[in-house]
Amino acid sequence: MHLVYLDDSSDEELTIYSALAISDEQWQTCLRQVREFRRELKKTDGIYVQKEFHAWKFVSGRGQIADRVVPKGRRAQIFKETLELTSRLPGARLFNVVSPTSKKPTGFEWLLNRINRTMQAWGSRAILICDQGSENEFTRMVRKMRVYNPIPSKYGNWLDSGSSTKNIPIERIVEDPFFKDSAQSYFVQITDFCAYALLRRERPLASKSKYGLDKAFDLLKPILVLETNPQDSEGIIRIK
């Protein structure tokens, strides 16, 4: 079983979905490592252990996150340190989708299909844990795809039926998605950082690139699920 934490980051043109998969057997170990990281930040920077990390606010210098001022340069460094920590979490794997914001629902649909297919290959199942805000949309889509999920054949037609599409329900995703306030989940916050890192690489901003955030996503390469898109060197699912 895998717990799959899902969040998105977007602007007017692009939406990024990231999904961090953690094995149930490694979950406690991963949580301990994240907690220790946050405790260290309290010691070094005064950052409150329970303070929510929201990526764009964090790197923009917004919010009182500590008992002292944490400048943007240091925040950017911590942002990258968080990604480095994520890349070392035992057994953690990361799915990513890049979609035009106008096709945001399609991005989520494709992500679900890739998670389902990967869980089948891993001999596992997934429970989705999402940030709050899209409860109705996400739940409705998961329920629909569990019953009816037509997949087009990449060869034009499926050999067993001759049809151009085949119904492949997402049977490896268990139950409806669960929704958590991101302030109550370190892993949802980390996934938000992952999505924002990819957004800033795909859509760089000078104000963030000067701190190296346009290259921060490279730190996550060790945990990328490459098999989700063999045509992309990082396995990123790209929707045109």
Side-chain angles (χ1 to χ4, degrees), residues 192-235:
D192 176 49
F193 270 41
C194 296
Y196 185 80
L198 184 53
L199 179 65
R200 287 287 69 88
R201 193 187 71 178
E202 299 290 309
R203 294 264 295 162
L205 296 175
S207 61
K208 304 298 184 291
S209 296
K210 72 178 183 179
Y211 296 114
L213 296 186
D214 57 323
K215 297 179 174 59
F217 184 78
D218 292 347
L219 298 168
L220 295 167
K221 286 185 177 181
I223 63 170
L224 300 181
V225 185
L226 302 181
E227 56 267 35
T228 55
N229 184 9
Q231 281 72 50
D232 186 275
S233 63
E234 296 171 321

Side-chain angles (χ1 to χ4, degrees), residues 20-237:
L20 182 67
I22 299 176
S23 165
D24 62 333
E25 296 178 351
Q26 299 281 12
W27 188 87
Q28 291 284 1
T29 301
C30 291
L31 181 61
R32 282 195 296 270
Q33 291 185 11
V34 175
R35 282 176 171 167
E36 180 58 31
F37 175 71
R38 292 298 300 264
R39 285 194 290 265
E40 285 299 312
L41 289 179
K42 179 65 171 70
K43 293 177 184 177
T44 59
D45 297 88
I47 295 175
Y48 306 123
V49 173
Q50 298 301 325
K51 184 67 177 179
E52 180 183 8
F53 280 8
H54 192 285
W56 76 267
K57 291 182 180 178
F58 188 87
V59 300
S60 298
R62 301 192 180 195
Q64 185 177 350
I65 63 172
D67 59 11
R68 69 201 72 166
V69 174
V70 183
K72 289 183 182 179
R74 174 58 182 150
R75 288 185 182 221
Q77 184 179 354
I78 293 170
F79 180 86
K80 288 181 275 189
E81 289 173 359
T82 303
L83 300 185
E84 289 175 342
L85 166 74
T86 305
S87 74
R88 297 193 303 270
L89 293 177
R93 303 296 302 278
L94 186 68
F95 301 81
N96 297 283
V97 175
V98 176
S99 169
T101 296
S102 61
K103 297 182 179 179
K104 190 173 180 179
T106 302
F108 183 68
E109 179 183 347
W110 284 33
L111 177 61
L112 292 180
N113 273 311
R114 296 309 192 278
I115 291 172
N116 184 71
R117 185 182 302 175
T118 302
M119 291 299 137
Q120 186 175 27
W122 291 353
S124 184
R125 286 178 170 77
I127 293 176
L128 300 182
I129 303 170
C130 308
D131 191 10
Q132 292 177 338
S134 300
E135 286 86 345
N136 291 337
E137 178 186 2
F138 286 2
T139 301
R140 185 166 56 248
M141 186 171 292
V142 169
R143 289 180 177 179
K144 180 183 84 65
M145 293 174 68
R146 189 173 286 126
V147 176
Y148 181 66
N149 183 37
I151 303 295
S153 170
K154 62 182 178 180
Y155 303 109
N157 291 287
W158 290 94
L159 294 178
D160 57 352
S161 66
S163 175
S164 61
T165 63
K166 183 177 182 179
N167 186 32
I168 305 178
I170 52 170
E171 297 175 343
R172 292 282 171 163
I173 296 177
V174 179
E175 250 289 0
D176 292 339
F178 292 87
F179 296 88
K180 291 198 70 171
D181 181 351
S182 58
Q184 303 300 318
S185 173
Y186 284 142
F187 291 121
V188 172
Q189 294 171 41
I190 285 174
T191 307
D192 176 49
F193 270 41
C194 296
Y196 185 80
L198 184 53
L199 179 65
R200 287 287 69 88
R201 193 187 71 178
E202 299 290 309
R203 294 264 295 162
L205 296 175
S207 61
K208 304 298 184 291
S209 296
K210 72 178 183 179
Y211 296 114
L213 296 186
D214 57 323
K215 297 179 174 59
F217 184 78
D218 292 347
L219 298 168
L220 295 167
K221 286 185 177 181
I223 63 170
L224 300 181
V225 185
L226 302 181
E227 56 267 35
T228 55
N229 184 9
Q231 281 72 50
D232 186 275
S233 63
E234 296 171 321
I236 297 171
I237 305 156

